[in-house]
Amino acid sequence: MKLSLDFPLLVMIIFVSQEENSLLSLNVPASPGYYQDGNFIIGGLFSLRVTDDNTRFGFKDNVYIQENVYMDLTKHYQHLLAMVFAIEKINKDLNILFNMSLGFHLFNVDFIETKAVKSSMSLLSGKSPPIPNYDCRSEKRNKLVAVVGGVSTQITAQSSQVLSLYNVPQISYGPFDYSLRDRVHFQSLYQFPMNPTALYQGFIQLMMHFGWIWVGLVVPDDIRGEMFLRDMTQEMIDSGLCVAFAERIPEFPATDTINNQIFVERFTFSNVTVVFGDTYSLLRFVYKIFCNIIFGNVWVTTSYWDITISPFGQKLSYTYFGGGLSFSVHMDEIPGFEGFLKNVQPAKYPQDIFIQDVWSILFECPYLDQHGIRELSKCEQNGTLETRGLHVWDMNTSPQSYNVYGAVHVIAKALHEELSLRLEEESLDSGASVAPHPWQLHEFLQKCQLERSFVKKKVVNEDISTTKLDIFNYQSLLNGTKAHVKVGEFVFESNSVQHLSLNDKVGWGEHFNETPSAVCSQSCPPGFRKTALEGKPFWCFDCIPCPDGEIANETNMDQCIKCPEDEYPNRQKNECLPKIMMFLSYEDPLGAVLVSMALGLSVLTALILGLFIQYRDTPIVRANNKYLSYLLLVALMLCFFCSLVFIGRPSPVTCILRQTFFGVVFSVAVSAILAKTFIVVVAFKTVTPRSKFQMWMVTRFSNAIVFSGSFIQVCICTIWLGTSPPFPDMDAQSEYGQIILQCNEGSTAAFYCVLGYLGFLALLSLMIAFLARRLPDSFNEAKLITFSMLVFCSVWICFIPTYLSTKGKTMVALETFSILASSAGLLGCIFLPKCYLILLRADNISRKKILER
């Protein structure tokens, strides 16, 4: 690749000349820089301060010119020292550059683009102020072979446009920027690669590790910030995280366009904020933070933004940014660099024009005398950098210093390969100029690997297969000093292969004693589900309890889970419990009482039946057809026994027997009572005394009443069983936490037809008995039947509404009790008075006494 002065290049040269004229018109002073001679010169563009008119590190007859200084970035002086150290180390190595030496020419361009252009032109011309398109050196050939710089995108871009005119290789040591990959505008620029996906995933995994789901994003208001904001937002959404807010920071010292009220409100939305950028691009953000109340946020960022740098001292720096977490590309230690830093002193490097200013700031000593002459007589000349606080100096190697060191080694390696190639073609004459043209190094730089790990791992200027990021925490140590402490690492191989590891030494600054939370809404505990808030992001929600029958067994559930039919929610609604099977059992106290009542009444009925059989020839037993009395007693006994079918676990047989057996035996009983009532009325109204035929007809007719009355009920039950018979069923809804085992009637209409028919027979008996209550007879049962039917009807009229309003075993117990109560009413009202007469008044019911009366 050879330099040719074609038409586009001439146009660019004219442009640079015009740029030079504009620079001179702006009266931007030129700095001679920090120069050390050698066979080959590497230029350096560094940014050591933030000013509005960059003059402090320039000189005019050794007289200081006052200016506005926004911030001294003394830590950036380490970048420059890394280059000095790397060149010193290479010059001591006899195995490289064939015993020839490297020199350097270092400029401080601060963060002003016009000065970056001017310094780049000074490197090309060898004169300050520069003369465009001229080489003012006495040597036959310019010894400049490459340039290292700058630390920010703006400085790198402006200097590259000048250096690219002459195809001078430039290696940026700042953060990787995709906008600088344009080979049309930046054809001679190289960057240290960085896998952005690894950084995004590192942020994501850290958030998920601590449960931070509501996180703010802060980026510089430029292309790099917009790309990060776009990609990071998508990554967070894909991982189920939410962006609480996005703040774009304008460049410093441009006009502040940030609304302070909105700025303050945003940073109260979340306890955690991810900040992407570098120290310069985020300078306005730092000033805005210090000019407002303490937000108490945890800042998650990269090592390119040094959160320990503060214009207001170390204490305030830790108050505002303590507990911050920084991601940094993993770096091996640079051998000997820490010892080199410890030995740096002004007396050791008298040619270093920058060390004077740095020393005066670090050791807080006067810089000028009253006549404006530079001197450091009042400074601690033998002081060491390791004694300075973290907010102004850091003995640990920064990523930028690491990149500078690596860039120098890459240039030296490319230069060595070019010299080796030349050695094969011709001998090297030490007396002749041997410096190659800068553009001749491109061939070697393009195939040379930029070493990010100078011992083990090499990273080429393309996508990285495996990225390892160290995680540092801004902490206050036990002795009160502040430090960046490594607390973990993140290894990224692919989206599916990545690993985050953190130790338990993470500190959270002055505002949190434990891991802070970062949520828009507090998590919904088990038993509650989320409900979206209108107009809010999906991570902002209210918590409402799960409805009946449903649970939420995890936090932040979107929907509650319905319990199976045989389970029910506990009171906290976070677990389904097995439901208890409920039915009226024999072991149940209520069931035991009803069984005892049924057996007792059955025994009593059997005793009365035995008593009637024993006294079957007495007039009181023979009256109103003793066989109907026997049938009625047997029917009542069966009624008492049928109540036992209602107790116990329902089965297909018991469910069928319950209603049908009950309906038939009660029909027999009521039909028998109706027949007895009929006999009373007929005996006194139509039958002629001593007419055996008429009595025979009455008996036959009463038997027909019993048969027909019972037969109709049997037909109803037969139709019921043939169409929709009762069956065992489970009711899991009526009672909380219980499954009611019950008999489903199958056909509700058939069930009420059975009850209705019984009611019809009972009402008919009541009406006839009521009409016959005043008929004269010593053993007229009409009054007793009337009263018994009143009791019977009252029980079943009360039963129906109560039956419809109860559930479970209470309903079964109610029906059982109604059967027992109505049967006992019939037994007591009709037969107990007769038993009283038979047992206690036997002398009054003899035939002789009756005839006498």
Side-chain angles (χ1 to χ4, degrees), residues 1 31 42 65 68 141 216 218 226 254 346 354 380 390 453 459 470 472-473 523 529 597 645 741 789 796 798 849:
M1 190 189 323
S31 168
I42 300 178
I65 303 175
N68 291 326
R141 179 177 295 179
V218 175
E226 286 299 324
F354 307 117
E380 186 179 348
L390 184 62
S453 175
V459 181
D470 293 330
F472 293 89
N473 183 216
S523 297
R529 71 173 181 87
M597 290 176 60
V645 183
L741 300 181
M789 285 295 102
W796 288 104
C798 294
K849 291 291 185 179

mmCIF file of all heavy atoms in Angstrom, residues 1 31 42 65 68 141 216 218 226 254 346 354 380 390 453 459 470 472-473 523 529 597 645 741 789 796 798 849:
data_model
loop_
_atom_site.group_PDB
_atom_site.id
_atom_site.type_symbol
_atom_site.label_atom_id
_atom_site.label_comp_id
_atom_site.label_asym_id
_atom_site.label_seq_id
_atom_site.Cartn_x
_atom_site.Cartn_y
_atom_site.Cartn_z
ATOM 1 N N MET A 1 0.857 -1.181 0.000
ATOM 2 C CA MET A 1 0.000 0.000 0.000
ATOM 3 C C MET A 1 0.895 1.234 0.000
ATOM 4 O O MET A 1 1.599 1.475 0.970
ATOM 5 C CB MET A 1 -0.906 -0.004 1.233
ATOM 6 C CG MET A 1 -1.976 1.058 1.192
ATOM 7 S SD MET A 1 -2.846 1.201 2.776
ATOM 8 C CE MET A 1 -2.939 -0.469 3.299
ATOM 9 N N SER A 31 1.187 22.817 21.902
ATOM 10 C CA SER A 31 2.068 22.307 22.929
ATOM 11 C C SER A 31 3.195 21.538 22.277
ATOM 12 O O SER A 31 2.975 20.788 21.328
ATOM 13 C CB SER A 31 1.289 21.383 23.876
ATOM 14 O OG SER A 31 2.186 20.673 24.714
ATOM 15 N N ILE A 42 6.736 6.808 17.977
ATOM 16 C CA ILE A 42 5.297 6.505 18.108
ATOM 17 C C ILE A 42 4.637 7.719 18.741
ATOM 18 O O ILE A 42 5.045 8.174 19.813
ATOM 19 C CB ILE A 42 5.054 5.257 18.970
ATOM 20 C CG1 ILE A 42 5.735 4.031 18.339
ATOM 21 C CG2 ILE A 42 3.560 5.008 19.141
ATOM 22 C CD1 ILE A 42 5.576 2.756 19.163
ATOM 23 N N ILE A 65 -0.893 30.541 31.482
ATOM 24 C CA ILE A 65 -2.043 31.301 30.982
ATOM 25 C C ILE A 65 -3.290 30.791 31.668
ATOM 26 O O ILE A 65 -3.604 29.606 31.598
ATOM 27 C CB ILE A 65 -2.169 31.160 29.448
ATOM 28 C CG1 ILE A 65 -0.870 31.620 28.782
ATOM 29 C CG2 ILE A 65 -3.360 31.949 28.934
ATOM 30 C CD1 ILE A 65 -0.856 31.394 27.287
ATOM 31 N N ASN A 68 -10.365 28.209 32.249
ATOM 32 C CA ASN A 68 -11.410 27.549 33.031
ATOM 33 C C ASN A 68 -11.183 26.041 32.996
ATOM 34 O O ASN A 68 -11.189 25.435 31.926
ATOM 35 C CB ASN A 68 -12.799 27.870 32.472
ATOM 36 C CG ASN A 68 -13.161 29.318 32.685
ATOM 37 O OD1 ASN A 68 -12.788 29.912 33.685
ATOM 38 N ND2 ASN A 68 -13.888 29.894 31.730
ATOM 39 N N ARG A 141 14.016 11.405 6.633
ATOM 40 C CA ARG A 141 12.693 10.778 6.580
ATOM 41 C C ARG A 141 12.032 10.936 7.940
ATOM 42 O O ARG A 141 12.694 10.837 8.991
ATOM 43 C CB ARG A 141 12.793 9.308 6.210
ATOM 44 C CG ARG A 141 11.427 8.599 6.152
ATOM 45 C CD ARG A 141 11.567 7.168 5.704
ATOM 46 N NE ARG A 141 12.057 7.099 4.333
ATOM 47 C CZ ARG A 141 12.284 5.952 3.701
ATOM 48 N NH1 ARG A 141 12.098 4.804 4.332
ATOM 49 N NH2 ARG A 141 12.707 5.956 2.458
ATOM 50 N N GLY A 216 -33.103 1.408 35.468
ATOM 51 C CA GLY A 216 -32.949 2.552 34.587
ATOM 52 C C GLY A 216 -31.705 2.425 33.729
ATOM 53 O O GLY A 216 -30.751 1.733 34.081
ATOM 54 N N VAL A 218 -28.811 4.779 31.475
ATOM 55 C CA VAL A 218 -28.228 6.094 31.194
ATOM 56 C C VAL A 218 -27.169 5.915 30.113
ATOM 57 O O VAL A 218 -26.277 5.057 30.248
ATOM 58 C CB VAL A 218 -27.608 6.710 32.464
ATOM 59 C CG1 VAL A 218 -26.908 8.017 32.121
ATOM 60 C CG2 VAL A 218 -28.670 6.946 33.518
ATOM 61 N N GLU A 226 -27.095 5.411 21.540
ATOM 62 C CA GLU A 226 -28.348 4.951 20.958
ATOM 63 C C GLU A 226 -28.290 3.466 20.623
ATOM 64 O O GLU A 226 -29.266 2.735 20.810
ATOM 65 C CB GLU A 226 -28.671 5.763 19.707
ATOM 66 C CG GLU A 226 -29.141 7.181 19.989
ATOM 67 C CD GLU A 226 -30.413 7.220 20.815
ATOM 68 O OE1 GLU A 226 -31.282 6.347 20.618
ATOM 69 O OE2 GLU A 226 -30.537 8.116 21.674
ATOM 70 N N ALA A 254 -21.400 21.238 26.459
ATOM 71 C CA ALA A 254 -22.471 21.815 25.649
ATOM 72 C C ALA A 254 -23.612 22.272 26.550
ATOM 73 O O ALA A 254 -23.650 21.994 27.747
ATOM 74 C CB ALA A 254 -22.971 20.782 24.647
ATOM 75 N N PRO A 346 9.003 13.540 39.652
ATOM 76 C CA PRO A 346 9.384 14.611 38.718
ATOM 77 C C PRO A 346 10.873 14.659 38.419
ATOM 78 O O PRO A 346 11.277 14.916 37.275
ATOM 79 C CB PRO A 346 8.920 15.874 39.441
ATOM 80 C CG PRO A 346 7.822 15.417 40.322
ATOM 81 C CD PRO A 346 8.198 14.036 40.769
ATOM 82 N N PHE A 354 4.235 17.119 31.574
ATOM 83 C CA PHE A 354 2.917 16.905 32.182
ATOM 84 C C PHE A 354 3.005 16.560 33.663
ATOM 85 O O PHE A 354 2.080 16.810 34.415
ATOM 86 C CB PHE A 354 2.174 15.775 31.444
ATOM 87 C CG PHE A 354 2.101 15.969 29.962
ATOM 88 C CD1 PHE A 354 2.709 15.085 29.097
ATOM 89 C CD2 PHE A 354 1.432 17.063 29.439
ATOM 90 C CE1 PHE A 354 2.640 15.267 27.735
ATOM 91 C CE2 PHE A 354 1.355 17.250 28.068
ATOM 92 C CZ PHE A 354 1.970 16.350 27.203
ATOM 93 N N GLU A 380 6.084 17.899 47.396
ATOM 94 C CA GLU A 380 6.812 16.761 47.950
ATOM 95 C C GLU A 380 7.481 16.023 46.801
ATOM 96 O O GLU A 380 6.892 15.156 46.160
ATOM 97 C CB GLU A 380 5.833 15.830 48.694
ATOM 98 C CG GLU A 380 6.516 14.696 49.439
ATOM 99 C CD GLU A 380 5.517 13.814 50.176
ATOM 100 O OE1 GLU A 380 4.340 14.208 50.291
ATOM 101 O OE2 GLU A 380 5.925 12.732 50.636
ATOM 102 N N LEU A 390 -7.983 7.165 46.066
ATOM 103 C CA LEU A 390 -8.550 6.517 44.889
ATOM 104 C C LEU A 390 -9.247 7.498 43.957
ATOM 105 O O LEU A 390 -9.339 7.272 42.756
ATOM 106 C CB LEU A 390 -9.535 5.424 45.321
ATOM 107 C CG LEU A 390 -10.149 4.566 44.220
ATOM 108 C CD1 LEU A 390 -9.062 3.786 43.489
ATOM 109 C CD2 LEU A 390 -11.192 3.621 44.792
ATOM 110 N N SER A 453 -4.413 -10.226 26.161
ATOM 111 C CA SER A 453 -3.736 -10.948 27.221
ATOM 112 C C SER A 453 -2.361 -11.309 26.671
ATOM 113 O O SER A 453 -2.244 -12.153 25.811
ATOM 114 C CB SER A 453 -4.518 -12.214 27.604
ATOM 115 O OG SER A 453 -3.809 -12.967 28.542
ATOM 116 N N VAL A 459 -6.635 -11.740 21.136
ATOM 117 C CA VAL A 459 -7.933 -11.400 20.597
ATOM 118 C C VAL A 459 -7.729 -10.640 19.302
ATOM 119 O O VAL A 459 -7.059 -9.616 19.279
ATOM 120 C CB VAL A 459 -8.729 -10.538 21.597
ATOM 121 C CG1 VAL A 459 -10.090 -10.209 21.030
ATOM 122 C CG2 VAL A 459 -8.876 -11.273 22.910
ATOM 123 N N ASP A 470 -14.339 -9.150 34.363
ATOM 124 C CA ASP A 470 -14.200 -9.067 35.813
ATOM 125 C C ASP A 470 -15.210 -8.061 36.345
ATOM 126 O O ASP A 470 -15.533 -7.063 35.685
ATOM 127 C CB ASP A 470 -12.787 -8.635 36.201
ATOM 128 C CG ASP A 470 -11.745 -9.690 35.839
ATOM 129 O OD1 ASP A 470 -12.110 -10.885 35.838
ATOM 130 O OD2 ASP A 470 -10.598 -9.325 35.540
ATOM 131 N N PHE A 472 -16.015 -5.476 39.466
ATOM 132 C CA PHE A 472 -15.416 -4.755 40.586
ATOM 133 C C PHE A 472 -16.489 -4.001 41.359
ATOM 134 O O PHE A 472 -17.488 -3.556 40.783
ATOM 135 C CB PHE A 472 -14.339 -3.785 40.093
ATOM 136 C CG PHE A 472 -13.126 -4.463 39.518
ATOM 137 C CD1 PHE A 472 -13.070 -4.781 38.162
ATOM 138 C CD2 PHE A 472 -12.055 -4.784 40.325
ATOM 139 C CE1 PHE A 472 -11.950 -5.414 37.628
ATOM 140 C CE2 PHE A 472 -10.936 -5.414 39.803
ATOM 141 C CZ PHE A 472 -10.892 -5.732 38.459
ATOM 142 N N ASN A 473 -16.248 -3.844 42.653
ATOM 143 C CA ASN A 473 -17.195 -3.202 43.555
ATOM 144 C C ASN A 473 -16.491 -2.045 44.269
ATOM 145 O O ASN A 473 -15.395 -2.222 44.820
ATOM 146 C CB ASN A 473 -17.714 -4.231 44.565
ATOM 147 C CG ASN A 473 -18.765 -3.685 45.514
ATOM 148 O OD1 ASN A 473 -18.809 -4.054 46.669
ATOM 149 N ND2 ASN A 473 -19.627 -2.809 45.041
ATOM 150 N N SER A 523 -43.220 -7.710 44.961
ATOM 151 C CA SER A 523 -43.648 -9.015 44.467
ATOM 152 C C SER A 523 -44.964 -9.441 45.113
ATOM 153 O O SER A 523 -45.197 -9.200 46.296
ATOM 154 C CB SER A 523 -42.569 -10.067 44.758
ATOM 155 O OG SER A 523 -41.382 -9.759 44.081
ATOM 156 N N ARG A 529 -52.297 -12.833 42.898
ATOM 157 C CA ARG A 529 -51.890 -12.780 41.500
ATOM 158 C C ARG A 529 -51.754 -11.333 41.070
ATOM 159 O O ARG A 529 -52.281 -10.407 41.710
ATOM 160 C CB ARG A 529 -52.904 -13.501 40.612
ATOM 161 C CG ARG A 529 -54.247 -12.798 40.450
ATOM 162 C CD ARG A 529 -55.109 -13.494 39.423
ATOM 163 N NE ARG A 529 -56.392 -12.835 39.224
ATOM 164 C CZ ARG A 529 -56.597 -11.835 38.367
ATOM 165 N NH1 ARG A 529 -55.590 -11.369 37.643
ATOM 166 N NH2 ARG A 529 -57.796 -11.296 38.236
ATOM 167 N N MET A 597 -82.248 -43.765 67.970
ATOM 168 C CA MET A 597 -83.681 -43.446 67.916
ATOM 169 C C MET A 597 -84.432 -44.454 67.055
ATOM 170 O O MET A 597 -85.517 -44.938 67.425
ATOM 171 C CB MET A 597 -83.882 -42.036 67.361
ATOM 172 C CG MET A 597 -83.426 -40.919 68.293
ATOM 173 S SD MET A 597 -83.594 -39.291 67.533
ATOM 174 C CE MET A 597 -85.340 -39.232 67.199
ATOM 175 N N VAL A 645 -81.127 -46.743 56.302
ATOM 176 C CA VAL A 645 -80.531 -46.769 54.971
ATOM 177 C C VAL A 645 -79.909 -45.404 54.628
ATOM 178 O O VAL A 645 -78.991 -45.309 53.827
ATOM 179 C CB VAL A 645 -81.592 -47.164 53.921
ATOM 180 C CG1 VAL A 645 -80.969 -47.264 52.532
ATOM 181 C CG2 VAL A 645 -82.249 -48.462 54.293
ATOM 182 N N LEU A 741 -70.393 -36.755 50.129
ATOM 183 C CA LEU A 741 -70.870 -37.961 49.461
ATOM 184 C C LEU A 741 -72.372 -38.045 49.702
ATOM 185 O O LEU A 741 -72.829 -38.120 50.847
ATOM 186 C CB LEU A 741 -70.158 -39.195 50.010
ATOM 187 C CG LEU A 741 -68.628 -39.207 49.849
ATOM 188 C CD1 LEU A 741 -68.050 -40.502 50.416
ATOM 189 C CD2 LEU A 741 -68.232 -39.045 48.400
ATOM 190 N N MET A 789 -102.443 -37.281 61.964
ATOM 191 C CA MET A 789 -102.239 -36.715 60.639
ATOM 192 C C MET A 789 -101.781 -35.257 60.700
ATOM 193 O O MET A 789 -101.014 -34.794 59.852
ATOM 194 C CB MET A 789 -103.529 -36.810 59.820
ATOM 195 C CG MET A 789 -103.832 -38.219 59.313
ATOM 196 S SD MET A 789 -102.582 -38.807 58.124
ATOM 197 C CE MET A 789 -101.623 -39.892 59.163
ATOM 198 N N TRP A 796 -93.748 -32.931 57.659
ATOM 199 C CA TRP A 796 -93.298 -32.941 56.270
ATOM 200 C C TRP A 796 -93.459 -31.593 55.590
ATOM 201 O O TRP A 796 -92.722 -31.263 54.657
ATOM 202 C CB TRP A 796 -94.025 -34.032 55.487
ATOM 203 C CG TRP A 796 -93.526 -35.391 55.883
ATOM 204 C CD1 TRP A 796 -94.157 -36.294 56.670
ATOM 205 C CD2 TRP A 796 -92.257 -35.950 55.528
ATOM 206 N NE1 TRP A 796 -93.382 -37.411 56.854
ATOM 207 C CE2 TRP A 796 -92.191 -37.220 56.150
ATOM 208 C CE3 TRP A 796 -91.186 -35.518 54.772
ATOM 209 C CZ2 TRP A 796 -91.089 -38.051 56.035
ATOM 210 C CZ3 TRP A 796 -90.088 -36.347 54.656
ATOM 211 C CH2 TRP A 796 -90.044 -37.600 55.282
ATOM 212 N N CYS A 798 -92.835 -28.797 57.208
ATOM 213 C CA CYS A 798 -91.618 -28.116 57.660
ATOM 214 C C CYS A 798 -90.367 -28.684 56.995
ATOM 215 O O CYS A 798 -89.359 -27.990 56.827
ATOM 216 C CB CYS A 798 -91.481 -28.236 59.183
ATOM 217 S SG CYS A 798 -92.774 -27.370 60.099
ATOM 218 N N LYS A 849 -118.244 -54.395 80.777
ATOM 219 C CA LYS A 849 -118.280 -52.989 81.155
ATOM 220 C C LYS A 849 -118.801 -52.133 80.014
ATOM 221 O O LYS A 849 -119.523 -51.163 80.221
ATOM 222 C CB LYS A 849 -116.878 -52.512 81.533
ATOM 223 C CG LYS A 849 -116.374 -53.123 82.842
ATOM 224 C CD LYS A 849 -117.160 -52.583 84.035
ATOM 225 C CE LYS A 849 -116.599 -53.093 85.356
ATOM 226 N NZ LYS A 849 -117.353 -52.544 86.507
#
